[in-house]
Amino acid sequence: MTGPAPVVGIVGAAGAVGAAAVAELHRRGRHALRLAGRRRAPLDALCHGLTATDGSPPTAEVLDIADTDALHRYCAGCDVVLNCAGPAYLVEDRVARAALAAGADYVDAAGDDVLWEQARALSARAPGRTAVISAGMMPGLSALLPRYLAATLPDPPRALLGYLGGRDRFTATAAADYLRVGEGFGQAGAALTGGVRARHPLPTRTDAELPFFPEPATAVPYLSTELERVARALGVTDATWHSVFAGPHVAQVLRQPPAGGNAPEALRRAAELDAFGRATYQLIVVELTTVAGAAHTLVLRGDSASSLTGAFAAVAVAALTEGTLAAGLHHAGEALDPQLAVDLLADSAAVSGLTVFDGEAAHAGGHVEEAL
Ligand SMILES: NC(=O)c1ccc[n+]([C@@H]2O[C@H](COP(=O)([O-])OP(=O)(O)OC[C@H]3O[C@@H](n4cnc5c(N)ncnc54)[C@H](OP(=O)(O)O)[C@@H]3O)[C@@H](O)[C@H]2O)c1
């Protein structure tokens, strides 16, 4: 890299995802970081907790994204703005709008089909600027990893089977977004068969033994619009994906969310109970079967969805500032070069294992869990 380090503004920097993204970007030391959030104390604590590097230390500033003028001034001083503030359904395109209007590029750690449509209109009015959304665990890694695995295969893939989840905490913010995820991202119970949505919904399985998962868990079949696009791009005609939750309390809340506005808090508390005294983990297991009938499996393991999301958002920022993305609007998991992204992820503190095996997940998963 020559010239001054690109200035990256991180909005919502002191949140669970934001702090993970900041840690990754700071560790790499290739950007000047401007941390922003509503409250001074957590930002200062985050700055003080970062180990010194040779690069310039991050700066911190108080910013409420509801203050449109302040947000615009902040964005005008950045080369890239990374949004980690949430919940995404309330933030919508507020930060993207300010960043692109101020001449900065944009990355969002979240983003569903609603944000895509909003950002498409903004991007059309900002020629030369790059915007990358859905740079999280799902959506995000859930698209990148099948593309990465497909690129390692000797033959084109025909079928995809995936599991994503684990035993983990939810922030209230992520819980609020998760409980609304059906609105504009996909359909529970759906899958692709022969290139079309299967006619009959697949059931949710409870206490299911799942490959690589160290304990029985709830597996919810879920067909996202992201997975449909990836399947189409790879030539995959049969695709089944599962969101996985280990722990009885989360399973109970998902089965019967409390009525009214209490559901996000109930989900946060249930996850806290399930995680109490236990190590949290997240797994992404992707199995691709080629047209020749050979199965290959990829497994990624991390401690939490927040840290994996922050790590992938940081990878998207790196890919953008290294000039590997054309101007325009992109989904991170579908646009980033899979090899570049996986190399960066493998080096990240958020990822504790990333391995590709020959064979079916159900076969390989029974034998190698300890090695991860
Ligand atoms: N794709 C995935 O797999 C995945 C996984 C996890 C999370 N996520 C998404 O990532 C986003 C962040 O989640 P999180 O778990 O990190 O939540 P979090 O820990 O609650 O952090 C959210 C941050 O946003 C800040 N914020 C909220 N409103 C703001 C405003 N008006 N102005 C400035 N800052 C504001 C909060 O500041 P305060 O502390 O002042 O409220 C907080 O620091 C959410 O959209 C979530 O859905 C995605």
Side-chain angles (χ1 to χ4, degrees):
M1 190 171 64
T2 56
V7 177
V8 178
I10 300 107
V11 179
V17 168
V22 167
E24 281 298 314
L25 290 166
H26 178 70
R27 191 176 58 80
R28 290 201 195 105
R30 298 172 78 91
H31 304 96
L33 304 183
R34 289 178 66 193
L35 319 190
R38 266 191 304 208
R39 293 172 298 136
R40 164 67 59 191
L43 292 169
D44 286 345
L46 179 62
C47 282
H48 291 141
L50 296 170
T51 47
T53 63
D54 291 343
S56 53
T59 59
E61 50 211 285
V62 173
L63 171 73
D64 188 327
I65 60 173
D67 182 341
T68 310
D69 291 341
L71 179 59
H72 188 89
R73 281 195 301 277
Y74 173 79
C75 292
C78 298
D79 295 304
V80 182
V81 175
L82 166 61
N83 178 52
C84 299
Y89 80 91
L90 290 181
V91 172
E92 290 196 309
D93 66 346
R94 182 180 290 274
V95 184
R97 184 178 292 274
L100 294 174
D105 292 326
Y106 181 71
V107 177
D108 201 314
D112 56 9
D113 297 348
V114 177
L115 180 62
W116 175 265
E117 287 306 324
Q118 293 169 334
R120 200 153 66 145
L122 299 173
S123 181
R125 295 200 292 272
R129 297 273 56 85
T130 305
V132 184
I133 72 163
S134 309
M137 185 179 175
M138 178 176 170
L141 291 175
S142 43
L144 182 95
L145 296 178
R147 290 176 58 233
Y148 174 80
L149 180 59
T152 69
L153 304 184
D155 298 303
R158 181 192 62 73
L160 183 155
L161 177 64
Y163 302 92
L164 179 149
R167 186 178 283 263
D168 197 3
R169 294 186 170 79
F170 269 104
T171 62
T173 308
D177 276 335
Y178 180 76
L179 289 168
R180 297 175 67 101
V181 82
E183 304 170 25
F185 183 53
Q187 194 183 347
L192 284 184
T193 309
V196 294
R197 283 179 182 229
R199 203 145 358 122
H200 302 294
L202 298 174
T204 291
R205 284 183 289 155
T206 52
D207 286 325
E209 298 280 348
L210 305 169
F212 292 95
F213 284 80
E215 57 189 327
T218 301
V220 186
Y222 191 81
L223 180 62
S224 65
T225 50
E226 176 195 59
L227 184 67
E228 284 193 86
R229 288 191 304 271
V230 169
R232 244 195 329 273
L234 295 178
V236 163
T237 54
D238 296 281
T240 308
W241 189 268
H242 305 83
S243 297
V244 177
F245 301 94
H249 297 93
V250 166
Q252 170 62 25
V253 172
L254 293 178
R255 237 187 339 265
Q256 264 182 330
N262 292 335
E265 179 55 18
L267 183 54
R268 187 198 67 74
R269 277 217 299 245
E272 195 65 44
L273 281 173
D274 285 339
F276 183 74
R278 310 274 300 249
T280 63
Y281 67 89
Q282 286 282 339
L283 290 172
I284 306 179
V285 180
V286 181
E287 175 193 288
L288 287 176
T289 305
T290 67
V291 290
H296 302 265
T297 299
L298 176 150
V299 185
L300 177 145
R301 184 179 177 122
D303 288 344
S304 74
S306 311
S307 61
L308 287 171
T309 294
F312 190 46
V315 165
V317 169
L320 198 166
T321 56
E322 282 169 28
T324 67
L325 288 168
L329 177 62
H330 307 278
H331 287 106
E334 295 159 63
L336 265 62
D337 176 69
Q339 185 67 58
L340 169 81
V342 164
D343 286 349
L344 291 171
L345 282 168
D347 187 40
S348 144
V351 174
S352 48
L354 199 166
T355 316
V356 173
F357 303 94
D358 290 337
E360 292 174 12
H363 183 68
H367 301 288
V368 295
E369 169 59 28
E370 303 228 326
L372 291 171

